[in-house]
Amino acid sequence: MLHVVLRMIIKTIFGYRKGNMMNGMTLTQFIIEEQRRVAGASGEFTGLVNDVVTACKVISNAVNKGALIGVLGSAGSENIQGETQKKLDVIANDVMIRSTQWAGHVAAMASEEMDDIYPIPPQYPRGKYLLLFDPLDGSSNIDVNGSVGTIFSVLRCPEGVSRPTAADFLQPGVSQVCAGYAVYGPSTMIVLTFGHGVNGFTLDRDVGEFVLTHPDMQVPADTQEFAINASNERFWEPPVRRYVEECQAGKAGVRGKDFNMRWVAAMAVEVHRILLRGGVFMYPKSTAESAGAGKLRLMYEVNPMSFIIEQAGGMSSTGRERVMELQPEALHQRVPVILGSRNEVERIVEYHQAG
Ligand code: AHG
Ligand code: MN
Ligand code: MN
């Protein structure tokens, strides 16, 4: 018995080392090597991504310490969406600003937690990028020690614009230069795309670096898992209702197979699961008079996640159109979203087309 346990421990240690040696590139090295692939790249973009990565490390540390440093609970304020801000929403927002505003890579920022855009203060040089973020995604999980994340998107500041306004941010998802998210779970991870594939990095806290652990992530095309907040069922449109009912019918129904359901209530974490084992995530259009467009925000939640999902071979739609081609109308605009495994999302889009 003892030698079986010992063998397992040795296998775990050496297996871990072997995996690390194979993938061992740090995120810093990865970004610099990406930069070398782009002729004439100035390093500005590399610097920006590095600053965002630093911000995620700081947020990870605060999330990790939790009650020990008094960061749980409500901040007692509301954001523009009328949601009560958690202390960590406000802290994470400040960390993102402080980590990225000084270096001269960004012209302006926009965040879920700020009503208006944040221009770079006059004491700092302005760069050529626009940074958008949801500093803490799934913040209702914070007080119950559930997983949360950070989502970000990078756009180019339009040519010739030195003082960007909110209108300069209203670019479709296809214009994104980079998108990524961090997940603060049992491990802290960052998953990134620069428009050619998706790579995942795990934070090695002892070294203080993110290490490439999930190269070239791909969303499986088929799945037997879906994620939707079923408490809203009475507000779903018929195509979504049909899809979910068919999943629930399992083997005996038209799908001929059983499905499982998950709801983490943090989009970044749901998308991460879908990248690893497939699935569909839906926050669809609501027929409730007060809701309408859906819940999630186009510019700093749905667009970056759609970019990542598409780059990993998945699909993202409102049910009626490709998310990435939507022309944004407002900074905090909400849109319906159905994303994940290609064959399932295609099926749901067909259900919408069928009326
Ligand atoms: P945030 O904490 O940034 O406001 O985002 C939460 C979002 C999203 O990540 C998640 O999928 C959804 O809201 C959860 O909504 P429910 O409250 O309907 O579970
Ligand atoms: Mn969010
Ligand atoms: Mn948030």
Side-chain angles (χ1 to χ4, degrees):
M1 181 63 195
L2 184 66
H3 78 271
V4 175
V5 174
L6 274 175
R7 263 221 317 265
M8 274 171 60
I9 293 171
I10 288 166
K11 205 172 154 201
T12 309
I13 293 169
F14 285 100
Y16 168 77
R17 285 230 175 111
K18 194 172 158 211
N20 253 8
M21 260 152 50
M22 272 161 51
N23 299 322
M25 181 187 281
T26 66
L27 179 44
T28 314
Q29 186 183 346
F30 180 88
I31 303 167
I32 292 170
E33 294 205 357
E34 280 288 309
Q35 181 194 324
R36 287 192 190 130
R37 291 167 52 163
V38 183
S42 63
E44 201 170 307
F45 176 67
T46 305
L48 167 57
V49 177
N50 251 323
D51 291 344
V52 172
V53 169
T54 303
C56 292
K57 281 187 206 169
V58 177
I59 298 168
S60 171
N61 192 42
V63 166
N64 199 253
K65 296 257 163 49
L68 295 174
I69 54 168
V71 294
L72 303 188
S74 164
S77 47
E78 272 191 4
N79 65 16
I80 194 168
Q81 352 257 334
E83 298 162 344
T84 304
Q85 290 176 307
K86 300 277 182 188
K87 283 185 199 164
L88 268 167
D89 284 321
V90 176
I91 293 169
N93 193 64
D94 285 352
V95 169
M96 285 294 277
I97 292 173
R98 273 189 285 114
S99 306
T100 56
Q101 68 177 353
W102 59 277
H105 309 317
V106 183
M109 305 181 205
S111 160
E112 178 185 324
E113 305 304 341
M114 297 189 284
D115 298 3
D116 301 313
I117 65 158
Y118 178 90
I120 297 303
Q123 68 266 37
Y124 301 121
R126 287 194 182 174
K128 58 184 181 200
Y129 293 103
L130 303 175
L131 176 65
L132 300 95
F133 49 87
D134 172 358
L136 204 73
D137 176 57
S139 51
S140 71
N141 286 353
I142 267 297
D143 295 341
V144 296
N145 199 18
S147 293
V148 290
T150 296
I151 306 173
F152 65 93
S153 164
V154 180
L155 295 167
R156 277 196 188 83
C157 187
E159 205 67 41
V161 173
S162 57
R163 292 178 178 276
T165 64
D168 295 309
F169 283 77
L170 304 182
Q171 305 177 31
V174 287
S175 301
Q176 292 171 101
V177 181
C178 163
Y181 65 82
V183 166
Y184 313 111
S187 323
T188 286
M189 286 192 67
I190 284 186
V191 173
L192 280 175
T193 184
F194 302 126
H196 29 90
V198 177
N199 289 282
F201 304 81
T202 305
L203 180 61
D204 185 333
R205 287 187 189 276
D206 295 337
V207 181
E209 284 275 12
F210 283 93
V211 178
L212 180 62
T213 48
H214 295 65
D216 193 21
M217 298 172 88
Q218 294 286 330
V219 181
D222 291 299
T223 184
Q224 289 178 228
E225 204 160 67
F226 65 97
I228 191 165
N229 183 342
S231 72
N232 298 322
E233 185 177 345
R234 66 194 180 285
F235 302 124
W236 297 343
E237 292 188 311
V240 171
R241 204 176 276 269
R242 173 182 170 193
Y243 177 77
V244 173
E245 274 168 12
E246 288 177 1
C247 291
Q248 286 169 334
K251 268 202 185 84
V254 292
R255 300 301 306 272
K257 58 181 184 179
D258 291 334
F259 280 76
N260 203 350
M261 202 203 81
R262 287 287 181 274
W263 189 250
V264 182
M267 187 196 201
V269 186
E270 316 265 14
V271 165
H272 192 63
R273 183 187 63 246
I274 289 170
L275 278 170
L276 288 168
R277 68 177 191 210
V280 183
F281 170 84
M282 291 173 274
Y283 222 117
K285 186 167 156 53
S286 165
T287 59
E289 266 175 45
S290 54
K295 176 179 181 187
L296 299 180
R297 280 66 45 127
L298 174 62
M299 301 300 298
Y300 42 79
E301 288 179 318
V302 179
N303 263 346
M305 289 315 198
S306 300
F307 190 18
I308 289 171
I309 285 287
E310 283 194 4
Q311 282 295 315
M315 186 170 165
S316 176
S317 169
T318 64
R320 294 180 170 84
E321 57 269 280
R322 181 181 170 212
V323 165
M324 294 275 282
E325 288 174 8
L326 292 176
Q327 175 55 51
E329 285 160 10
L331 208 51
H332 298 286
Q333 177 181 351
R334 297 174 193 264
V335 289
V337 61
I338 296 161
L339 59 74
S341 294
R342 170 162 291 280
N343 293 339
E344 294 298 308
V345 178
E346 257 168 16
R347 172 184 286 268
I348 302 167
V349 170
E350 274 165 27
Y351 289 2
H352 280 80
Q353 285 160 354

